[in-house]
Amino acid sequence: MRHYIEERALELGNFIIENRTTVRAAAQNFGISKSTVHKDVTERLAKLDPFMAKQVKRILDENKAERHIRGGEATRLKYGREGRKVG
């Protein structure tokens, strides 16, 4: 694995842990794709720092469990409290 990829994986892991952020937010902050973030923190980080990888996995699992709530909030903000009115 190239050195800069290892560094990026460790930086992403630290960023996600410190900010308890989502893969999408980390990708946006680092200017890379969600797929790259996911691969870095699930596969590459596990080889570099297994303890950090477990911490990141715990945060990502929490985010996954809560995403339906965040999605509902986004819809409410977009369409207002009562939702979209048809007709």
Side-chain angles (χ1 to χ4, degrees):
M1 192 177 333
R2 296 183 189 250
H3 183 67
Y4 73 92
I5 295 175
E6 292 175 355
E7 281 186 24
R8 183 183 66 209
L10 292 169
E11 287 177 18
L12 283 165
N14 282 326
F15 181 79
I16 290 173
I17 291 168
E18 289 174 8
N19 300 296
R20 301 193 63 79
T21 190
T22 62
V23 169
R24 181 180 297 241
Q28 188 173 16
N29 185 272
F30 282 80
I32 56 178
S33 72
K34 293 185 301 182
S35 300
T36 301
V37 172
H38 194 267
K39 185 168 183 98
D40 280 354
V41 298
T42 57
E43 295 176 20
R44 295 177 177 137
L45 191 58
K47 294 175 185 172
L48 297 171
D49 188 343
F51 180 72
M52 183 188 291
K54 286 180 184 176
Q55 290 179 301
V56 169
K57 181 173 177 16
R58 216 173 291 127
I59 292 168
L60 296 182
D61 287 345
E62 286 175 21
N63 289 340
K64 187 174 181 181
E66 296 169 353
R67 73 179 169 195
H68 68 283
I69 296 168
R70 285 191 305 274
E73 285 299 315
T75 301
R76 250 189 302 288
L77 290 173
K78 183 175 181 179
Y79 295 113
R81 194 80 166 111
E82 296 153 19
R84 188 171 164 193
K85 296 184 179 175
V86 180

